Amino acid sequence: MPKTCSDPAIPSAARNVALAFRTIIEPFKIKSVEPIRSTTREERERHLRAAHYNLFLLPAENVLIDLLTDSGTGAMSSRQWAAMMVGDESYAGSPSFERFRHAVQGIFGYKHVIPTHQGRAAERILFSVMCKKGDVVPNNAHFDTTRANVEFTGAEALDLPTREGLEPSNPGLFKGNMDVAALEGLIGRVGRDRVPLVMLTVTNNAGGGQPVSMENVRAVRAVCRRYDIPLYFDACRFAENAYLIKLRETGYETKTPKAIAQEMFALGDGCTMSAKKDGLANIGGFLCTNDDRLAQQEKDLLILTEGYPTYGGLAGRDLEAIAVGLEEVLDEDYLRYRIVSTAYLGKHIAQAGVPIVQPPGGHAIYIDARAFLPHIPPRQFPGVALAAELYLEGGIRSVEIGTLMFGDAAKMDLVRLAIPRRVYTQSHIDYVIEVVLEVWKRHEQIRGLQLTYEAPFLRHFTARLEPL
Ligand SMILES: Cc1ncc(COP(=O)(O)O)c(C=O)c1O
């Protein structure tokens, strides 16, 4: 199954910029390898029973292809490893921080750059400083840690997706957009003083890895300016979002992903970032703001729990790896391979009838488990059943995003196949396609599950289940 430029899964703009040859290859060669271990079906049955049918409880060494998450699971380049060796571990004023700050400011453009150990630490500090009980924070779609950190301050985390963003089979190009009319309506209803900031998550993880258009960012910013409300980005997958704008939004075809990212961030007042995604690092994050007063309060809080403001809980070598990663992630060859590889997986399972969230987003393919297993009601966890079956069939680990994770509040039961960055090759993806299609052939025989143990909160991490 060669991946070609004439493949309709590859957006037309990408085909236009493709090279003379039809096959799009991984834009890297491999210098260091890590073995992955095959297991027999009998072994996997045993491992799955021991993990109580919850893939979070599975030791990673029993997994062949790990698509649990794209966070912190990427492969670093030889340039990043080399940069780590020059990492300076001074407590204060490390030159590694200066290189990190320079790299961040070159793309994001904000005045203050505050390093953190990962994205959620940036969120906790931002919301602690800006929010209080009774406030409302609108977002196109909060990620779970973002929501939890907003709610921890007593404020309400409100998702304002567009209608098409909630329709899995709708092939809309910018299903990550915020509903701008709903934002205006909200501010009118609760009053400007209860909305301390507006957030845009690019791309939108909770909503299927879908991008936000520049037009939507401009429209959201116009509302924010009218009411004098700061606009912040949750920038975890900013490079994938920038590349999807290049492919899909009129007027951006010839711009570089870096120029598009710079244009987007110039429309905001700050951001939170998990460098474990589009920082191409295994750990790290940052918080940015243009506001001097807020930055001072944020740095004070940072010192309390993360560390001094020139390292923020990271080693100097981590700061170096992120500085290089931020440059590499905007490389067009890399982004083309990344987006095409994800789309290729989506296209080949969808054309065999597997129901997925359309169109494929940047970092993952989401299978619609309720449509895949219509005979299993949500209370019998169709997403968990499907994820267990993918493991049994081929040793693939995915994650349920549905009734186990969100309880009765789940609007969909999805299985996310998240693609780690620069880790798996074309043949790994072809293998994943084969396994999904094998499971699809016998989907009618798959049974639901019932809970035997659940924790009082965030139950999906530790839940135990058994087949019905
Ligand atoms: C959109 C989004 N925001 C924030 C986070 C939190 O980042 P971290 O895991 O580094 O704390 C994630 C992590 O998956 C995410 O996807």
Side-chain angles (χ1 to χ4, degrees), residues 69-71 117-121 123 143 145-146 201 203-206 234 236-237 273-277 284 416:
T69 176
D70 66 319
S71 179
H117 81 274
Q118 62 184 93
R120 67 198 69 185
E123 291 162 8
F143 179 65
T145 60
T146 327
T201 304
T203 60
N204 162 344
N205 185 9
D234 177 341
C236 296
R237 297 178 180 83
M273 171 74 185
S274 167
K276 299 172 73 173
K277 285 84 170 174
R416 187 184 72 177

Side-chain angles (χ1 to χ4, degrees), residues 225 253 413:
R225 285 292 169 271
E253 300 85 349
D413 277 280

